[in-house]
Amino acid sequence: MNCQQAKYLTEQTLRTHAEEEQLWEHASHCVSCHQYLQLHMLADLTADDELLKVIVPDGLEQRIMVAIETQQQQTRKIPLWIRISSAAAAIASGLLLGSLMYDARAEQSYSSNEINITSSSDTIYVAGTSELMYYPTIFDQGQ
Amino acid sequence: MDIRAIKNGDTKAFNQLVAETHKEVYRLAFRFLSNQTDAEDITQDVFIETWKNISSFREEANIRTWLYRITVNKSLNHLRKHKTSNQTLSLQNNEGLSGILSTPNFTADRPLENKELKQVLQAALQRLPENQRTAFMLHHYEGHSYQQIAEIMETSLSAVESLIFRGKSGLRIILHDFHKDFSTPSQVLR
């Protein structure tokens, strides 16, 4: 068998037992054909071939479970009653704080402006928050 | 495997799933990445994602198929992110094979050793298009049926057949070219 024949046989997906023996016999003393045969066989490897064996490292299963446990601890579920009562407490606190702040600001605004309106005829009702906005109008009417 | 128990947060049931499938997941990740540390990290990520998203898993499908799909996606994403690193070989140019040719142990005057063949195979696989490589490896190296591969890759059966066929043909051409580059002119034909 020469190299041309060996190359042709190597490229055939199906070979007879005799052809296989001839091919390996040629490859045993022809490095180039041996390498070509080796490389060609790479395309036909399956998981059972020694070359493709993958060794799974020890302790991988434990490592995964530790990671899962850590993950679980980070996202552990809070009971529903705690979540509801916390939300309600937060809303109540917010309303209380908001109302206190509103009162404080209104009082501060009223005392700083010190608007005195005197009317001889009709009574003028002025809302606390409107005082500044309508001050010129009211003042003119008052005059 | 009790999927409902896992959905209810039963870690023992999940541990059973990990015990039964982690080796397959690791092997598949390793086939893509060719690196133990990366394959371990991907395996861990796959199971964390599975644990977090198990509620979205529809039980009519096979949990293994779902795991493989996550593994393939994570492995490919990892490869895309680390395309330029030393551990993986570039898909865009011939660095992979020519790099091997330039290694001092690679000589044309003796049969190739297993370690070298592994290197060549890995480099040749990296030069295949992503979808052909995935289908080819799932079929030839992991022994999955065409139907399973279609489910994992979320494609049709005929597309899988075509991908595997083209993948194998492409691999042969790449290896053939590698032999041409590797051998001295006098050795190629005698």
Side-chain angles (χ1 to χ4, degrees), chain B residues 29-35 38 75-93 95-97 119 122-123 126-127 133:
Chain B
F30 189 87
R31 300 237 185 265
F32 279 97
L33 307 167
S34 304
N35 177 292
D38 290 347
S75 302
L76 290 176
N77 283 341
H78 183 90
L79 280 178
R80 285 181 207 125
K81 276 185 197 166
H82 300 86
K83 214 157 49 173
T84 51
S85 79
N86 294 332
Q87 290 148 356
T88 54
L89 301 158
S90 176
L91 305 176
Q92 266 71 50
N93 54 34
E95 266 176 36
L97 293 172
Q119 276 181 288
Q122 188 56 30
Q126 295 292 338
R127 288 181 65 189
R133 182 167 27 123

PDB file of all heavy atoms in Angstrom, chain B residues 29-35 38 75-93 95-97 119 122-123 126-127 133:
ATOM      1  N   ALA B  29     -20.071  20.980  30.331  1.00  0.00           N
ATOM      2  CA  ALA B  29     -19.401  22.289  30.463  1.00  0.00           C
ATOM      3  C   ALA B  29     -17.918  22.151  30.110  1.00  0.00           C
ATOM      4  O   ALA B  29     -17.344  23.004  29.434  1.00  0.00           O
ATOM      5  CB  ALA B  29     -19.571  22.817  31.878  1.00  0.00           C
ATOM      6  N   PHE B  30     -17.307  21.055  30.553  1.00  0.00           N
ATOM      7  CA  PHE B  30     -15.880  20.840  30.289  1.00  0.00           C
ATOM      8  C   PHE B  30     -15.614  20.687  28.787  1.00  0.00           C
ATOM      9  O   PHE B  30     -14.596  21.145  28.279  1.00  0.00           O
ATOM     10  CB  PHE B  30     -15.382  19.606  31.047  1.00  0.00           C
ATOM     11  CG  PHE B  30     -13.892  19.449  30.996  1.00  0.00           C
ATOM     12  CD1 PHE B  30     -13.087  20.085  31.921  1.00  0.00           C
ATOM     13  CD2 PHE B  30     -13.292  18.676  30.007  1.00  0.00           C
ATOM     14  CE1 PHE B  30     -11.698  19.958  31.858  1.00  0.00           C
ATOM     15  CE2 PHE B  30     -11.920  18.547  29.938  1.00  0.00           C
ATOM     16  CZ  PHE B  30     -11.120  19.182  30.870  1.00  0.00           C
ATOM     17  N   ARG B  31     -16.536  20.027  28.086  1.00  0.00           N
ATOM     18  CA  ARG B  31     -16.344  19.847  26.632  1.00  0.00           C
ATOM     19  C   ARG B  31     -16.258  21.202  25.929  1.00  0.00           C
ATOM     20  O   ARG B  31     -15.525  21.366  24.975  1.00  0.00           O
ATOM     21  CB  ARG B  31     -17.513  19.068  26.026  1.00  0.00           C
ATOM     22  CG  ARG B  31     -17.689  17.698  26.613  1.00  0.00           C
ATOM     23  CD  ARG B  31     -17.644  16.620  25.568  1.00  0.00           C
ATOM     24  NE  ARG B  31     -17.948  15.335  26.182  1.00  0.00           N
ATOM     25  CZ  ARG B  31     -17.036  14.479  26.610  1.00  0.00           C
ATOM     26  NH1 ARG B  31     -15.750  14.751  26.475  1.00  0.00           N
ATOM     27  NH2 ARG B  31     -17.380  13.331  27.151  1.00  0.00           N
ATOM     28  N   PHE B  32     -17.028  22.149  26.416  1.00  0.00           N
ATOM     29  CA  PHE B  32     -17.002  23.477  25.801  1.00  0.00           C
ATOM     30  C   PHE B  32     -15.780  24.263  26.246  1.00  0.00           C
ATOM     31  O   PHE B  32     -15.162  24.949  25.462  1.00  0.00           O
ATOM     32  CB  PHE B  32     -18.253  24.274  26.204  1.00  0.00           C
ATOM     33  CG  PHE B  32     -19.468  23.934  25.399  1.00  0.00           C
ATOM     34  CD1 PHE B  32     -20.402  23.040  25.877  1.00  0.00           C
ATOM     35  CD2 PHE B  32     -19.682  24.506  24.156  1.00  0.00           C
ATOM     36  CE1 PHE B  32     -21.522  22.718  25.136  1.00  0.00           C
ATOM     37  CE2 PHE B  32     -20.805  24.190  23.414  1.00  0.00           C
ATOM     38  CZ  PHE B  32     -21.726  23.296  23.905  1.00  0.00           C
ATOM     39  N   LEU B  33     -15.453  24.172  27.524  1.00  0.00           N
ATOM     40  CA  LEU B  33     -14.484  25.101  28.100  1.00  0.00           C
ATOM     41  C   LEU B  33     -13.061  24.552  28.188  1.00  0.00           C
ATOM     42  O   LEU B  33     -12.110  25.330  28.254  1.00  0.00           O
ATOM     43  CB  LEU B  33     -14.950  25.538  29.491  1.00  0.00           C
ATOM     44  CG  LEU B  33     -16.374  26.105  29.542  1.00  0.00           C
ATOM     45  CD1 LEU B  33     -16.866  26.215  30.964  1.00  0.00           C
ATOM     46  CD2 LEU B  33     -16.429  27.460  28.857  1.00  0.00           C
ATOM     47  N   SER B  34     -12.932  23.220  28.246  1.00  0.00           N
ATOM     48  CA  SER B  34     -11.609  22.569  28.355  1.00  0.00           C
ATOM     49  C   SER B  34     -10.799  23.097  29.538  1.00  0.00           C
ATOM     50  O   SER B  34      -9.588  23.228  29.444  1.00  0.00           O
ATOM     51  CB  SER B  34     -10.788  22.762  27.082  1.00  0.00           C
ATOM     52  OG  SER B  34     -11.489  22.303  25.989  1.00  0.00           O
ATOM     53  N   ASN B  35     -11.482  23.439  30.595  1.00  0.00           N
ATOM     54  CA  ASN B  35     -10.793  23.983  31.758  1.00  0.00           C
ATOM     55  C   ASN B  35     -11.576  23.566  32.999  1.00  0.00           C
ATOM     56  O   ASN B  35     -12.767  23.853  33.113  1.00  0.00           O
ATOM     57  CB  ASN B  35     -10.745  25.513  31.629  1.00  0.00           C
ATOM     58  CG  ASN B  35     -10.108  26.179  32.814  1.00  0.00           C
ATOM     59  OD1 ASN B  35     -10.650  26.178  33.917  1.00  0.00           O
ATOM     60  ND2 ASN B  35      -8.941  26.728  32.603  1.00  0.00           N
ATOM     61  N   ASP B  38     -13.159  26.510  35.254  1.00  0.00           N
ATOM     62  CA  ASP B  38     -14.293  27.152  34.588  1.00  0.00           C
ATOM     63  C   ASP B  38     -15.494  26.209  34.538  1.00  0.00           C
ATOM     64  O   ASP B  38     -16.630  26.624  34.768  1.00  0.00           O
ATOM     65  CB  ASP B  38     -13.916  27.568  33.156  1.00  0.00           C
ATOM     66  CG  ASP B  38     -12.939  28.732  33.140  1.00  0.00           C
ATOM     67  OD1 ASP B  38     -12.758  29.368  34.206  1.00  0.00           O
ATOM     68  OD2 ASP B  38     -12.344  28.993  32.080  1.00  0.00           O
ATOM     69  N   SER B  75     -22.130  28.055  29.126  1.00  0.00           N
ATOM     70  CA  SER B  75     -20.790  27.749  28.604  1.00  0.00           C
ATOM     71  C   SER B  75     -20.469  28.640  27.403  1.00  0.00           C
ATOM     72  O   SER B  75     -19.364  29.187  27.305  1.00  0.00           O
ATOM     73  CB  SER B  75     -20.694  26.275  28.189  1.00  0.00           C
ATOM     74  OG  SER B  75     -20.987  25.454  29.276  1.00  0.00           O
ATOM     75  N   LEU B  76     -21.436  28.778  26.503  1.00  0.00           N
ATOM     76  CA  LEU B  76     -21.195  29.602  25.309  1.00  0.00           C
ATOM     77  C   LEU B  76     -21.012  31.068  25.693  1.00  0.00           C
ATOM     78  O   LEU B  76     -20.146  31.750  25.141  1.00  0.00           O
ATOM     79  CB  LEU B  76     -22.344  29.442  24.302  1.00  0.00           C
ATOM     80  CG  LEU B  76     -22.437  28.078  23.602  1.00  0.00           C
ATOM     81  CD1 LEU B  76     -23.664  27.999  22.707  1.00  0.00           C
ATOM     82  CD2 LEU B  76     -21.193  27.777  22.765  1.00  0.00           C
ATOM     83  N   ASN B  77     -21.818  31.525  26.652  1.00  0.00           N
ATOM     84  CA  ASN B  77     -21.653  32.911  27.116  1.00  0.00           C
ATOM     85  C   ASN B  77     -20.278  33.113  27.734  1.00  0.00           C
ATOM     86  O   ASN B  77     -19.638  34.142  27.517  1.00  0.00           O
ATOM     87  CB  ASN B  77     -22.723  33.248  28.161  1.00  0.00           C
ATOM     88  CG  ASN B  77     -24.058  33.522  27.519  1.00  0.00           C
ATOM     89  OD1 ASN B  77     -24.126  33.812  26.326  1.00  0.00           O
ATOM     90  ND2 ASN B  77     -25.121  33.401  28.285  1.00  0.00           N
ATOM     91  N   HIS B  78     -19.841  32.127  28.493  1.00  0.00           N
ATOM     92  CA  HIS B  78     -18.517  32.213  29.115  1.00  0.00           C
ATOM     93  C   HIS B  78     -17.434  32.290  28.034  1.00  0.00           C
ATOM     94  O   HIS B  78     -16.502  33.087  28.126  1.00  0.00           O
ATOM     95  CB  HIS B  78     -18.294  30.994  30.013  1.00  0.00           C
ATOM     96  CG  HIS B  78     -17.004  31.023  30.749  1.00  0.00           C
ATOM     97  ND1 HIS B  78     -16.883  31.599  31.994  1.00  0.00           N
ATOM     98  CD2 HIS B  78     -15.762  30.589  30.417  1.00  0.00           C
ATOM     99  CE1 HIS B  78     -15.630  31.499  32.390  1.00  0.00           C
ATOM    100  NE2 HIS B  78     -14.933  30.890  31.450  1.00  0.00           N
ATOM    101  N   LEU B  79     -17.580  31.450  27.016  1.00  0.00           N
ATOM    102  CA  LEU B  79     -16.589  31.455  25.931  1.00  0.00           C
ATOM    103  C   LEU B  79     -16.569  32.800  25.206  1.00  0.00           C
ATOM    104  O   LEU B  79     -15.506  33.300  24.868  1.00  0.00           O
ATOM    105  CB  LEU B  79     -16.905  30.346  24.921  1.00  0.00           C
ATOM    106  CG  LEU B  79     -16.468  28.935  25.288  1.00  0.00           C
ATOM    107  CD1 LEU B  79     -16.894  27.958  24.216  1.00  0.00           C
ATOM    108  CD2 LEU B  79     -14.954  28.862  25.465  1.00  0.00           C
ATOM    109  N   ARG B  80     -17.756  33.351  24.983  1.00  0.00           N
ATOM    110  CA  ARG B  80     -17.819  34.650  24.288  1.00  0.00           C
ATOM    111  C   ARG B  80     -17.129  35.731  25.098  1.00  0.00           C
ATOM    112  O   ARG B  80     -16.420  36.565  24.558  1.00  0.00           O
ATOM    113  CB  ARG B  80     -19.277  35.045  24.057  1.00  0.00           C
ATOM    114  CG  ARG B  80     -19.924  34.261  22.938  1.00  0.00           C
ATOM    115  CD  ARG B  80     -21.354  34.709  22.724  1.00  0.00           C
ATOM    116  NE  ARG B  80     -22.133  33.617  22.154  1.00  0.00           N
ATOM    117  CZ  ARG B  80     -23.245  33.133  22.672  1.00  0.00           C
ATOM    118  NH1 ARG B  80     -23.755  33.645  23.753  1.00  0.00           N
ATOM    119  NH2 ARG B  80     -23.868  32.133  22.091  1.00  0.00           N
ATOM    120  N   LYS B  81     -17.359  35.677  26.434  1.00  0.00           N
ATOM    121  CA  LYS B  81     -16.765  36.696  27.301  1.00  0.00           C
ATOM    122  C   LYS B  81     -15.250  36.566  27.376  1.00  0.00           C
ATOM    123  O   LYS B  81     -14.530  37.544  27.480  1.00  0.00           O
ATOM    124  CB  LYS B  81     -17.334  36.557  28.713  1.00  0.00           C
ATOM    125  CG  LYS B  81     -18.654  37.246  28.905  1.00  0.00           C
ATOM    126  CD  LYS B  81     -19.050  37.148  30.362  1.00  0.00           C
ATOM    127  CE  LYS B  81     -20.527  37.434  30.540  1.00  0.00           C
ATOM    128  NZ  LYS B  81     -21.003  37.038  31.863  1.00  0.00           N
ATOM    129  N   HIS B  82     -14.761  35.330  27.353  1.00  0.00           N
ATOM    130  CA  HIS B  82     -13.328  35.098  27.548  1.00  0.00           C
ATOM    131  C   HIS B  82     -12.643  34.633  26.268  1.00  0.00           C
ATOM    132  O   HIS B  82     -11.686  33.885  26.308  1.00  0.00           O
ATOM    133  CB  HIS B  82     -13.108  34.074  28.657  1.00  0.00           C
ATOM    134  CG  HIS B  82     -13.668  34.514  29.965  1.00  0.00           C
ATOM    135  ND1 HIS B  82     -14.968  34.294  30.311  1.00  0.00           N
ATOM    136  CD2 HIS B  82     -13.098  35.198  30.982  1.00  0.00           C
ATOM    137  CE1 HIS B  82     -15.196  34.818  31.503  1.00  0.00           C
ATOM    138  NE2 HIS B  82     -14.091  35.373  31.932  1.00  0.00           N
ATOM    139  N   LYS B  83     -13.176  35.108  25.148  1.00  0.00           N
ATOM    140  CA  LYS B  83     -12.659  34.675  23.846  1.00  0.00           C
ATOM    141  C   LYS B  83     -11.170  34.946  23.683  1.00  0.00           C
ATOM    142  O   LYS B  83     -10.453  34.199  23.039  1.00  0.00           O
ATOM    143  CB  LYS B  83     -13.436  35.381  22.737  1.00  0.00           C
ATOM    144  CG  LYS B  83     -13.640  34.575  21.525  1.00  0.00           C
ATOM    145  CD  LYS B  83     -14.815  35.024  20.693  1.00  0.00           C
ATOM    146  CE  LYS B  83     -14.889  36.491  20.392  1.00  0.00           C
ATOM    147  NZ  LYS B  83     -15.992  36.763  19.447  1.00  0.00           N
ATOM    148  N   THR B  84     -10.720  36.006  24.275  1.00  0.00           N
ATOM    149  CA  THR B  84      -9.327  36.398  24.074  1.00  0.00           C
ATOM    150  C   THR B  84      -8.384  35.832  25.140  1.00  0.00           C
ATOM    151  O   THR B  84      -7.186  36.037  25.070  1.00  0.00           O
ATOM    152  CB  THR B  84      -9.187  37.924  24.085  1.00  0.00           C
ATOM    153  OG1 THR B  84      -9.820  38.405  25.259  1.00  0.00           O
ATOM    154  CG2 THR B  84      -9.811  38.543  22.861  1.00  0.00           C
ATOM    155  N   SER B  85      -8.955  35.114  26.122  1.00  0.00           N
ATOM    156  CA  SER B  85      -8.084  34.602  27.188  1.00  0.00           C
ATOM    157  C   SER B  85      -7.222  33.445  26.674  1.00  0.00           C
ATOM    158  O   SER B  85      -7.440  32.909  25.599  1.00  0.00           O
ATOM    159  CB  SER B  85      -8.908  34.137  28.376  1.00  0.00           C
ATOM    160  OG  SER B  85      -9.452  32.867  28.090  1.00  0.00           O
ATOM    161  N   ASN B  86      -6.269  33.059  27.471  1.00  0.00           N
ATOM    162  CA  ASN B  86      -5.350  32.003  27.052  1.00  0.00           C
ATOM    163  C   ASN B  86      -6.004  30.629  27.026  1.00  0.00           C
ATOM    164  O   ASN B  86      -5.548  29.725  26.356  1.00  0.00           O
ATOM    165  CB  ASN B  86      -4.151  31.940  28.011  1.00  0.00           C
ATOM    166  CG  ASN B  86      -3.325  33.182  27.921  1.00  0.00           C
ATOM    167  OD1 ASN B  86      -3.286  33.838  26.893  1.00  0.00           O
ATOM    168  ND2 ASN B  86      -2.672  33.522  29.027  1.00  0.00           N
ATOM    169  N   GLN B  87      -7.084  30.477  27.822  1.00  0.00           N
ATOM    170  CA  GLN B  87      -7.667  29.149  27.951  1.00  0.00           C
ATOM    171  C   GLN B  87      -8.461  28.737  26.722  1.00  0.00           C
ATOM    172  O   GLN B  87      -8.627  27.568  26.441  1.00  0.00           O
ATOM    173  CB  GLN B  87      -8.586  29.112  29.164  1.00  0.00           C
ATOM    174  CG  GLN B  87      -7.801  29.190  30.438  1.00  0.00           C
ATOM    175  CD  GLN B  87      -8.562  29.911  31.521  1.00  0.00           C
ATOM    176  OE1 GLN B  87      -9.643  30.422  31.320  1.00  0.00           O
ATOM    177  NE2 GLN B  87      -7.974  29.936  32.696  1.00  0.00           N
ATOM    178  N   THR B  88      -8.999  29.719  26.010  1.00  0.00           N
ATOM    179  CA  THR B  88      -9.785  29.369  24.841  1.00  0.00           C
ATOM    180  C   THR B  88      -9.094  29.870  23.591  1.00  0.00           C
ATOM    181  O   THR B  88      -8.303  30.792  23.636  1.00  0.00           O
ATOM    182  CB  THR B  88     -11.187  29.984  24.919  1.00  0.00           C
ATOM    183  OG1 THR B  88     -11.026  31.379  25.126  1.00  0.00           O
ATOM    184  CG2 THR B  88     -11.985  29.372  26.029  1.00  0.00           C
ATOM    185  N   LEU B  89      -9.425  29.245  22.487  1.00  0.00           N
ATOM    186  CA  LEU B  89      -8.745  29.582  21.247  1.00  0.00           C
ATOM    187  C   LEU B  89      -9.654  30.399  20.362  1.00  0.00           C
ATOM    188  O   LEU B  89     -10.849  30.164  20.281  1.00  0.00           O
ATOM    189  CB  LEU B  89      -8.338  28.291  20.544  1.00  0.00           C
ATOM    190  CG  LEU B  89      -7.413  27.426  21.400  1.00  0.00           C
ATOM    191  CD1 LEU B  89      -7.468  25.983  20.948  1.00  0.00           C
ATOM    192  CD2 LEU B  89      -5.998  27.940  21.339  1.00  0.00           C
ATOM    193  N   SER B  90      -9.091  31.358  19.722  1.00  0.00           N
ATOM    194  CA  SER B  90      -9.886  32.307  18.956  1.00  0.00           C
ATOM    195  C   SER B  90     -10.652  31.641  17.823  1.00  0.00           C
ATOM    196  O   SER B  90     -10.170  30.746  17.153  1.00  0.00           O
ATOM    197  CB  SER B  90      -8.963  33.367  18.385  1.00  0.00           C
ATOM    198  OG  SER B  90      -9.701  34.220  17.574  1.00  0.00           O
ATOM    199  N   LEU B  91     -11.872  32.104  17.628  1.00  0.00           N
ATOM    200  CA  LEU B  91     -12.688  31.567  16.554  1.00  0.00           C
ATOM    201  C   LEU B  91     -12.471  32.351  15.262  1.00  0.00           C
ATOM    202  O   LEU B  91     -12.785  31.882  14.197  1.00  0.00           O
ATOM    203  CB  LEU B  91     -14.173  31.662  16.923  1.00  0.00           C
ATOM    204  CG  LEU B  91     -14.608  31.022  18.235  1.00  0.00           C
ATOM    205  CD1 LEU B  91     -16.079  31.311  18.469  1.00  0.00           C
ATOM    206  CD2 LEU B  91     -14.364  29.543  18.216  1.00  0.00           C
ATOM    207  N   GLN B  92     -11.948  33.539  15.425  1.00  0.00           N
ATOM    208  CA  GLN B  92     -11.864  34.410  14.270  1.00  0.00           C
ATOM    209  C   GLN B  92     -10.632  34.155  13.382  1.00  0.00           C
ATOM    210  O   GLN B  92     -10.632  34.448  12.221  1.00  0.00           O
ATOM    211  CB  GLN B  92     -11.832  35.871  14.710  1.00  0.00           C
ATOM    212  CG  GLN B  92     -13.196  36.499  14.718  1.00  0.00           C
ATOM    213  CD  GLN B  92     -14.060  35.983  15.827  1.00  0.00           C
ATOM    214  OE1 GLN B  92     -13.639  35.948  16.972  1.00  0.00           O
ATOM    215  NE2 GLN B  92     -15.255  35.536  15.500  1.00  0.00           N
ATOM    216  N   ASN B  93      -9.592  33.617  13.966  1.00  0.00           N
ATOM    217  CA  ASN B  93      -8.391  33.429  13.160  1.00  0.00           C
ATOM    218  C   ASN B  93      -7.828  32.020  13.356  1.00  0.00           C
ATOM    219  O   ASN B  93      -8.451  31.175  13.987  1.00  0.00           O
ATOM    220  CB  ASN B  93      -7.339  34.485  13.534  1.00  0.00           C
ATOM    221  CG  ASN B  93      -7.063  34.470  15.023  1.00  0.00           C
ATOM    222  OD1 ASN B  93      -7.100  33.417  15.642  1.00  0.00           O
ATOM    223  ND2 ASN B  93      -6.801  35.623  15.594  1.00  0.00           N
ATOM    224  N   GLU B  95      -5.216  31.132  15.009  1.00  0.00           N
ATOM    225  CA  GLU B  95      -4.278  31.039  16.133  1.00  0.00           C
ATOM    226  C   GLU B  95      -4.242  29.660  16.764  1.00  0.00           C
ATOM    227  O   GLU B  95      -3.213  29.149  17.107  1.00  0.00           O
ATOM    228  CB  GLU B  95      -4.689  32.030  17.225  1.00  0.00           C
ATOM    229  CG  GLU B  95      -3.992  33.341  17.137  1.00  0.00           C
ATOM    230  CD  GLU B  95      -4.527  34.301  18.176  1.00  0.00           C
ATOM    231  OE1 GLU B  95      -4.856  33.857  19.284  1.00  0.00           O
ATOM    232  OE2 GLU B  95      -4.629  35.484  17.852  1.00  0.00           O
ATOM    233  N   GLY B  96      -5.418  29.072  16.916  1.00  0.00           N
ATOM    234  CA  GLY B  96      -5.534  27.784  17.590  1.00  0.00           C
ATOM    235  C   GLY B  96      -4.615  26.725  17.006  1.00  0.00           C
ATOM    236  O   GLY B  96      -3.728  26.222  17.678  1.00  0.00           O
ATOM    237  N   LEU B  97      -4.807  26.453  15.726  1.00  0.00           N
ATOM    238  CA  LEU B  97      -4.026  25.384  15.113  1.00  0.00           C
ATOM    239  C   LEU B  97      -2.579  25.789  14.853  1.00  0.00           C
ATOM    240  O   LEU B  97      -1.661  25.016  15.105  1.00  0.00           O
ATOM    241  CB  LEU B  97      -4.690  24.924  13.820  1.00  0.00           C
ATOM    242  CG  LEU B  97      -6.048  24.221  14.031  1.00  0.00           C
ATOM    243  CD1 LEU B  97      -6.734  23.967  12.710  1.00  0.00           C
ATOM    244  CD2 LEU B  97      -5.872  22.913  14.776  1.00  0.00           C
ATOM    245  N   GLN B 119      -5.368  18.548  22.120  1.00  0.00           N
ATOM    246  CA  GLN B 119      -5.164  19.966  21.800  1.00  0.00           C
ATOM    247  C   GLN B 119      -5.676  20.275  20.392  1.00  0.00           C
ATOM    248  O   GLN B 119      -6.354  21.279  20.184  1.00  0.00           O
ATOM    249  CB  GLN B 119      -3.675  20.304  21.852  1.00  0.00           C
ATOM    250  CG  GLN B 119      -3.149  20.619  23.238  1.00  0.00           C
ATOM    251  CD  GLN B 119      -1.675  20.966  23.149  1.00  0.00           C
ATOM    252  OE1 GLN B 119      -0.841  20.085  22.910  1.00  0.00           O
ATOM    253  NE2 GLN B 119      -1.359  22.227  23.320  1.00  0.00           N
ATOM    254  N   GLN B 122      -9.493  20.109  20.243  1.00  0.00           N
ATOM    255  CA  GLN B 122     -10.094  21.270  20.886  1.00  0.00           C
ATOM    256  C   GLN B 122     -10.008  22.501  19.981  1.00  0.00           C
ATOM    257  O   GLN B 122     -10.970  23.231  19.803  1.00  0.00           O
ATOM    258  CB  GLN B 122      -9.402  21.534  22.233  1.00  0.00           C
ATOM    259  CG  GLN B 122     -10.059  22.589  23.081  1.00  0.00           C
ATOM    260  CD  GLN B 122     -11.533  22.299  23.371  1.00  0.00           C
ATOM    261  OE1 GLN B 122     -11.943  21.145  23.436  1.00  0.00           O
ATOM    262  NE2 GLN B 122     -12.317  23.339  23.497  1.00  0.00           N
ATOM    263  N   ALA B 123      -8.810  22.677  19.400  1.00  0.00           N
ATOM    264  CA  ALA B 123      -8.616  23.830  18.517  1.00  0.00           C
ATOM    265  C   ALA B 123      -9.496  23.720  17.272  1.00  0.00           C
ATOM    266  O   ALA B 123     -10.067  24.707  16.817  1.00  0.00           O
ATOM    267  CB  ALA B 123      -7.148  23.932  18.122  1.00  0.00           C
ATOM    268  N   GLN B 126     -13.082  24.486  18.111  1.00  0.00           N
ATOM    269  CA  GLN B 126     -13.293  25.926  18.321  1.00  0.00           C
ATOM    270  C   GLN B 126     -13.475  26.673  17.002  1.00  0.00           C
ATOM    271  O   GLN B 126     -14.028  27.767  16.989  1.00  0.00           O
ATOM    272  CB  GLN B 126     -12.112  26.553  19.082  1.00  0.00           C
ATOM    273  CG  GLN B 126     -11.928  26.054  20.493  1.00  0.00           C
ATOM    274  CD  GLN B 126     -13.046  26.478  21.435  1.00  0.00           C
ATOM    275  OE1 GLN B 126     -13.739  27.442  21.169  1.00  0.00           O
ATOM    276  NE2 GLN B 126     -13.236  25.741  22.505  1.00  0.00           N
ATOM    277  N   ARG B 127     -12.992  26.070  15.939  1.00  0.00           N
ATOM    278  CA  ARG B 127     -13.117  26.747  14.641  1.00  0.00           C
ATOM    279  C   ARG B 127     -14.447  26.454  13.950  1.00  0.00           C
ATOM    280  O   ARG B 127     -14.764  27.060  12.939  1.00  0.00           O
ATOM    281  CB  ARG B 127     -11.946  26.354  13.733  1.00  0.00           C
ATOM    282  CG  ARG B 127     -10.645  26.991  14.193  1.00  0.00           C
ATOM    283  CD  ARG B 127      -9.503  26.632  13.297  1.00  0.00           C
ATOM    284  NE  ARG B 127      -9.661  27.170  11.966  1.00  0.00           N
ATOM    285  CZ  ARG B 127      -8.887  26.868  10.937  1.00  0.00           C
ATOM    286  NH1 ARG B 127      -7.897  26.025  11.114  1.00  0.00           N
ATOM    287  NH2 ARG B 127      -9.092  27.395   9.763  1.00  0.00           N
ATOM    288  N   ARG B 133     -20.900  23.174  16.434  1.00  0.00           N
ATOM    289  CA  ARG B 133     -20.074  22.586  17.502  1.00  0.00           C
ATOM    290  C   ARG B 133     -20.955  22.023  18.621  1.00  0.00           C
ATOM    291  O   ARG B 133     -20.748  20.926  19.107  1.00  0.00           O
ATOM    292  CB  ARG B 133     -19.139  23.666  18.055  1.00  0.00           C
ATOM    293  CG  ARG B 133     -18.198  23.198  19.129  1.00  0.00           C
ATOM    294  CD  ARG B 133     -17.112  24.209  19.384  1.00  0.00           C
ATOM    295  NE  ARG B 133     -17.502  25.563  19.074  1.00  0.00           N
ATOM    296  CZ  ARG B 133     -17.461  26.568  19.952  1.00  0.00           C
ATOM    297  NH1 ARG B 133     -17.054  26.355  21.169  1.00  0.00           N
ATOM    298  NH2 ARG B 133     -17.795  27.782  19.598  1.00  0.00           N
TER     299      ARG B 133
END
